């Protein structure tokens, strides 16, 4: 038999998993997953976002894939779009860079400017 | 062992199963209808000998058992064909033309609603809304749904059943 | 626990299962493994999304993209394009959202925009076979609140204040019903749920049971607490195997979690539930008949009073509410009576689910605030009538209800306005009819239904409905006389006045309502021997319009009885011999020049 506290624990735990199905105002992480992106290693980058956010218990983030952005030389490319729609584009991403971006940008709201598009051009 | 003897044994065995079903439900209130559901599952219909067993085991007159069976359209006193065709006569299907489809079925199978073909292959039934109104008009054959039908689809569907377990479409 | 970046929800309601959604799930899982996406993407089977016309339906979160009429063959493309590369498969998007790709979110499509999902809040969002998902979306929170913070009286008062009325047809105030039962002093009381959805064309209760069974279990437990009952029954149609299966799973899970049983949530409150299967008798949707059927007898109605709240199941105080009514209860307790009462019209609060079907583009389930007009339902949510045909009428309330003609299409839908029009809310079947639907034929259809389903206890209903049906049959065959209309009206009045239960009391409604709005159609059948909608076969006469005929001979070639003659070479227009014609309509369908009229 479950107590009220246990019920609440189940609620919190499952909500993390299914929360994406409600209207949410979360931050969106968009990974370029066209052929060029995948060839350049977008898949491990996407997986790194999932494991890192889970590890740090960050819930207000959804990770999605998108098509070719058109700058194939800079792939893997990741856009992070906040609630207001401001977009930061990270380029030449690797799983190691993802760990830092998750910690600084997603957890603490500080843009990792060394990986952004502007710095790399 | 000849076929007759085997038939007898099966009959005996099933009578035992009926007794078991009754025993399982006997102590709960209002058990008759759940019992009839399970027995019909066993035989495909409710033969007189099963009704007799139920009445005896439940210690009620057989007229009461029969009275309940005859009241509900879900319970059947006759065996069904190998392919049970149910055409939906819900309002949505009717408005979208299930009437002409039923006519075509009657014509193709040469039987009426509630009847079984002589070879025991097909039983034709009409049923209430199946809730697949998005696919109207709809029929089911042994539970498999055929939707967005026209009367011209009928011969093909029937042929499909005859040639092979009914996997048309 | 594993987090996924994307959830793919596949509809497992009866409509979509009928069009192969199971095979789509299997294929999807296979393709995900093949593309190594199975660790990132989760496949979930849910209840009905409501847009059954476009089924099988698939929704992909977090984007909320809805794909329609998905075929097994489309699955590889969805996986490789959408899930792998993040590109939309535009050809499978719902028609109205195709215009703007940004607006791919299902919430924004015209089918969902005007809807307000309260009773259906979890349908198409959770996996109905996972109690944890229900709990995540505030499931069993209302029960916790009731058991720990509220007295039974406060629960009843909240339901009363919300203005919730029974969604099964009659519209009796739910809180008042509960109050009657609560006031009875008895050692045993019962809570029953009417899931014997017999109205042909209505399937919202099934969708709730299939898509969100726990909401019904939670609500019935709350009702048990409110009236002091420890035992409940859900009476479900045997024709709903998926609903029965999911409800049983849900009951087992709730027992395992101690949300049903002897000591619920460690509060000492005791309540348990049982499923009872119906056996195909429409009359068992009537409350007293339903209870007689649970008792294991012939489901015949009995005299009221005493009302079930005083003497119901096994002579004990019993409340009976339908599935949709129960589905509203947990939200009302959580969000408050004021929130609920803020939706709808003055005397009809909240929302109502309609099963919209018939001659309409978007067949499906829609939930709208009370007071939404029929026009909005038909043209905005329903997407209008197929083939550019004219809206003629909508039928609500099934065999107990009536028609709303085109002239009243702007009526706001609530309990009172529908009754005023001679229709009724009923359980929420809404069948749209166009110019090709014959209203006499529809009346006959419903009468055939009630003749079949009359339990036979009261003579006026048993014999009277049959007599009415015979008259209607005579009229549709062109053998009616004007006095038949008067006789229909007399019979209708007598049957209404002298039947015991609602089945008989409302059986004449379809006739009275069509007579009221479409008397001219009855008269055309009788006086002119014509069916204006061109639907009654006996009254049809196919005729070739000479000036349109190009003498192509296609009609004659296809006629099965050689009733058409003419000359192709000499360009002599073709004619139909009415004495030979069997009115099969083949020539009408085959003519490329619309030269044949009926």
């Amino acid at each position: 038999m479950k107590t009220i506290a246990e019920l609440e624990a189940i609620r919190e735990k499952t909500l993390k998993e299914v929360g994406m199905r409600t209207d949410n105002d979360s931050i969106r992480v968009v990974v370029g997953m066209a052929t060029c992106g995948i060839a350049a290693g977008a898949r491990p980058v996407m997986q790194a976002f999932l494991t890192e956010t889970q590890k740090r218990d960050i819930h207000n983030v959804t990770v999605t894939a998108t098509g070719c952005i058109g700058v194939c030389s800079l792939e893997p490319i990741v856009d992070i779009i906040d609630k207001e729609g401001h977009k930061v584009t990270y380029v030449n991403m690797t799983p190691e860079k993802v760990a830092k971006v998750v910690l600084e940008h997603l957890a603490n709201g500080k843009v990792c400017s060394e990986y952004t598009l502007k710095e790399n051009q | 062992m000849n076929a007759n003897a085997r038939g007898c044994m099966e009959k005996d065995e099933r009578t035992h199963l009926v007794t078991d079903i009754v025993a399982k439900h006997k102590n709960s209130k209002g058990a008759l209808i759940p019992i009839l559901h399970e027995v019909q599952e066993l035989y495909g219909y409710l033969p007189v000998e099963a009704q007799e067993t139920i009445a005896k085991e439940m210690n009620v007159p057989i007229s009461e058992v029969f009275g309940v069976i005859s009241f509900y359209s879900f319970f059947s006193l006759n065996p069904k064909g190998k392919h049970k065709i149910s055409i939906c006569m819900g309002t949505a299907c009717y408005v979208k033309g299930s009437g002409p489809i039923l006519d075509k079925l009657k014509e193709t199978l040469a039987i009426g609603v509630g009847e079984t073909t002589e070879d025991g292959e097909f039983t034709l039934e009409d049923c209430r809304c199946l809730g697949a109104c998005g696919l109207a008009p709809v029929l089911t054959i042994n539970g498999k749904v055929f939707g967005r039908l026209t009367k011209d689809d009928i011969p093909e569907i029937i042929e499909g059943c005859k040639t092979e377990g009914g996997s048309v479409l | 626990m594993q987090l996924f970046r994307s959830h793919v929800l596949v509809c497992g309601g009866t409509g979509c299962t009928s069009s192969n959604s199971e095979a789509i799930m299997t294929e999807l899982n296979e393709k995900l493994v093949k593309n190594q996406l199975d660790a990132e993407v989760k496949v979930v089977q849910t209840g009905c999304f409501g847009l059954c016309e476009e089924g099988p339906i698939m929704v992909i979160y977090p984007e909320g993209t809805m794909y329609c009429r998905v075929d097994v063959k489309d699955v590889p493309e969805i996986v490789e394009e959408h899930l792998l590369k993040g590109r939309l498969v535009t050809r499978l998007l719902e028609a109205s959202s195709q215009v703007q790709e940004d607006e791919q979110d299902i919430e924004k499509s015209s089918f969902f925009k005007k809807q307000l999902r309260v009773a259906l809040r979890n349908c198409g969002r959770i996996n109905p076979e996972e109690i944890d998902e229900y709990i995540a979306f505030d499931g069993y929170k209302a029960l916790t609140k009731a058991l720990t913070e509220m007295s039974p009286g406060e629960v009843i008062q909240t339901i009363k204040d919300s203005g919730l009325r029974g969604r099964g047809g009659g519209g009796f105030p739910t809180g008042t019903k509960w109050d009657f039962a609560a006031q009875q002093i008895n050692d045993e009381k019962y809570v029953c749920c009417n899931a014997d959805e017999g109205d042909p064309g209505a399937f919202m209760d099934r969708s709730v049971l299939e898509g969100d069974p726990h909401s019904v279990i939670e609500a019935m437990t709350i009702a048990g607490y409110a009236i002091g009952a420890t035992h409940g029954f859900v009476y479900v149609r045997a024709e709903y195997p998926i609903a029965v299966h999911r409800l049983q799973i849900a009951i087992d899970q709730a027992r395992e979690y101690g949300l049903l049983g002897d000591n619920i949530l460690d509060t000492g409150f005791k309540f348990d539930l049982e499923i009872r299967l119906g056996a195909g008798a429409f009359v068992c949707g009537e409350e007293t008949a339903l209870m007689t059927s649970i008792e294991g007898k012939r489901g015949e109605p009995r005299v009221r009073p005493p009302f079930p709240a005083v003497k119901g199941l096994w002579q004990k105080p019993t409340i009976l509410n339908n599935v949709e009514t129960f589905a509203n209860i947990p939200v009302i307790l959580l969000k408050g009576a004021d929130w609920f009462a803020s939706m709808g019209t003055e005397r009809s609060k909240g929302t109502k689910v309609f099963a919209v079907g018939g001659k309409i583009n978007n067949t499906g389930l829609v939930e709208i605030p009370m007071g939404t007009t029929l026009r909005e339902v038909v043209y905005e949510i329903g997407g209008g009538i197929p083939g550019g045909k004219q809206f003629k009428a909508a039928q609500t309330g099934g065999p107990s209800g009536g028609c709303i003609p085109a002239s009243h299409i702007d009526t706001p839908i609530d309990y009172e306005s529908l009754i005023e029009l001679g229709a009724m809310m009923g359980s929420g079947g809404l069948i749209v009819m166009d110019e090709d639907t014959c209203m006499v034929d529809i009346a006959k259809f419903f009468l055939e239904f009630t003749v079949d389903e009359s339990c036979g206890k009261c003579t006026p209903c048993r014999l009277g409905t049959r007599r009415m049906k015979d008259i209607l049959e005579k009229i549709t065959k062109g053998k009616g006389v004007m006095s038949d209309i008067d006789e229909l009206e007399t019979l209708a009045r007598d049957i209404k006045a002298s039947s015991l239960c609602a089945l008989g009391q409302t059986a004449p409604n379809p006739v009275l309502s069509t007579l009221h709005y479409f008397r001219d159609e009855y008269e055309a059948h009788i006086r002119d021997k014509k069916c204006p909608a061109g639907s009654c076969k006996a009254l049809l006469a196919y005729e070739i319009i000479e000036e349109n005929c190009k003498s192509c001979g296609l009609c004659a070639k296809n006629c099965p009885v050689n009733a058409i003659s003419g000359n192709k070479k000499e360009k002599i227009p073709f004619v139909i011999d009415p004495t030979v014609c069997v009115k099969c309509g083949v020539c009408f369908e085959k003519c490329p020049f619309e030269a044949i009229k009926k």
Side-chain angles (χ1 to χ4, degrees), chain C residues 199-258:
Chain C
D199 176 358
F203 54 93
M204 61 285 298
D205 292 346
R206 192 202 61 211
S207 286
V208 172
L209 288 180
E210 282 175 3
D212 194 16
H214 284 286
S215 68
V216 177
I217 297 174
E218 183 179 7
M220 289 181 72
T221 314
I222 293 170
Y225 175 70
I227 68 160
T230 56
H231 208 91
F233 289 93
V234 186
Y235 189 85
V236 196
R237 286 178 80 190
E239 290 91 333
Y240 284 175
I242 300 177
V244 173
H245 176 72
R246 297 219 177 118
L247 182 62
Q248 189 59 57
I249 290 176
I251 290 176
D252 294 343
Q253 287 175 343
R255 276 191 197 133
E256 195 192 315
Y257 275 30

Side-chain angles (χ1 to χ4, degrees), chain C residues 83 111 142-143 164 170 192 208 223 233 349 360 412 437 462 532 576 586:
Chain C
L83 295 172
F111 179 74
L143 177 64
L164 176 68
C192 290
V208 172
F233 289 93
K349 300 298 186 191
I360 187 143
T437 314
R462 183 180 70 237
I576 302 172
V586 168

